[in-house]
Amino acid sequence: MKKILFFFGLLLIGCSTPKNQKEIDIFESVLGEKNVEVLNLLVYDFETNLLELYPELELKDAYKQYLLDISDEKTKDFQKFLFQTEKTRTRFHESGFWDEIFYYEYYTEDIFNNSIDSTKSLQANNIGKYMIALYEIKNTDSLIYRYWNVREAAGLLSNEFFVKGTLSLNPDFDNYFHKRIVVIEYSF
């Protein structure tokens, strides 16, 4: 029943016109219809997980609690923070949207006696459609502006750095963009 109410709530929110609709239209136009669809699936999975993790909290408060919990050094069970369904994860990768946000960098080095060590490192794709779409609207919101600049300069951010930086800017988790920034940061 809770999931049905959640779905109808999302439907109602989707039917109302947000005050930043112009920026949403620009962002979605750059991102592309297929990528927007996948991003919305990621948000849906994330918010469904929030309802399960924090049933007593309003959704916007659950976003904040998620950030506090995932960055808390006392947290040991990170499995509970995984939110993508198998269907969404598959769609995220097969659609190419994952590649618009991330990429893997491979390092190979000869360590000793001709033995080779190879490592794989997740990196932020700063020239993908996600960053380009954010660039187009970054001057309309202080959180988007700061996030874009830091991610463009530093790449992927540690949980602690991302959470402290985001929360210091007083995010509004009713805001279309603030939600999606958090979801993308935990979608790798």
Side-chain angles (χ1 to χ4, degrees):
M1 180 69 172
K2 202 174 210 181
K3 284 188 178 183
I4 292 171
L5 290 173
F6 175 68
F7 177 74
F8 284 117
L10 283 178
L11 209 58
L12 287 174
I13 291 169
C15 292
S16 63
T17 304
K19 65 180 178 181
N20 57 352
Q21 188 61 52
K22 179 181 172 193
E23 290 81 15
I24 292 170
D25 292 343
I26 292 168
F27 176 81
E28 289 183 349
S29 174
V30 173
L31 205 55
E33 187 177 327
K34 182 173 61 171
N35 292 335
V36 168
E37 185 179 308
V38 175
L39 180 53
N40 289 339
L41 284 173
L42 290 168
V43 171
Y44 177 80
D45 284 1
F46 188 84
E47 291 184 349
T48 299
N49 190 50
L50 289 180
L51 290 174
E52 291 172 12
L53 286 174
Y54 311 108
E56 71 287 350
L57 296 177
E58 287 187 42
L59 192 56
K60 64 182 178 180
D61 296 326
Y63 267 87
K64 182 176 181 181
Q65 193 60 52
Y66 179 96
L67 292 175
L68 293 170
D69 288 349
I70 202 166
S71 66
D72 187 340
E73 62 188 40
K74 295 176 190 166
T75 299
K76 302 293 183 222
D77 177 18
F78 287 96
Q79 285 297 115
K80 67 182 182 180
F81 298 111
L82 301 176
F83 61 89
Q84 294 175 25
T85 63
E86 186 61 38
K87 178 183 174 186
T88 300
R89 184 177 15 269
T90 300
R91 193 104 180 266
F92 186 31
H93 287 272
E94 288 180 355
S95 70
F97 187 43
W98 187 93
D99 300 311
E100 295 292 344
I101 303 167
F102 307 107
Y103 70 94
Y104 282 110
E105 191 164 79
Y106 297 91
Y107 302 99
T108 305
E109 64 180 291
D110 188 359
I111 47 176
F112 4 12
N113 300 328
N114 292 328
S115 85
I116 295 178
D117 186 24
S118 179
T119 57
K120 179 171 133 176
S121 174
L122 184 65
Q123 301 292 320
N125 181 355
N126 287 339
I127 59 171
K129 286 184 179 179
Y130 173 66
M131 287 294 283
I132 294 168
L134 283 177
Y135 177 82
E136 293 297 322
I137 51 99
K138 73 177 182 157
N139 292 323
T140 63
D141 180 282
S142 61
L143 190 142
I144 299 168
Y145 179 81
R146 181 72 169 199
Y147 171 75
W148 187 90
N149 281 310
V150 170
R151 190 160 194 235
E152 201 271 333
L156 294 180
L157 310 173
S158 70
N159 280 344
E160 182 181 359
F161 188 73
F162 174 74
V163 170
K164 282 184 179 180
T166 300
L167 294 179
S168 74
L169 294 167
N170 298 316
D172 171 7
F173 292 119
D174 287 327
N175 180 292
Y176 174 93
F177 296 107
H178 296 188
K179 288 180 174 191
R180 279 153 181 78
I181 286 171
V182 169
V183 170
I184 288 297
E185 280 301 304
Y186 295 102
S187 289
F188 45 86

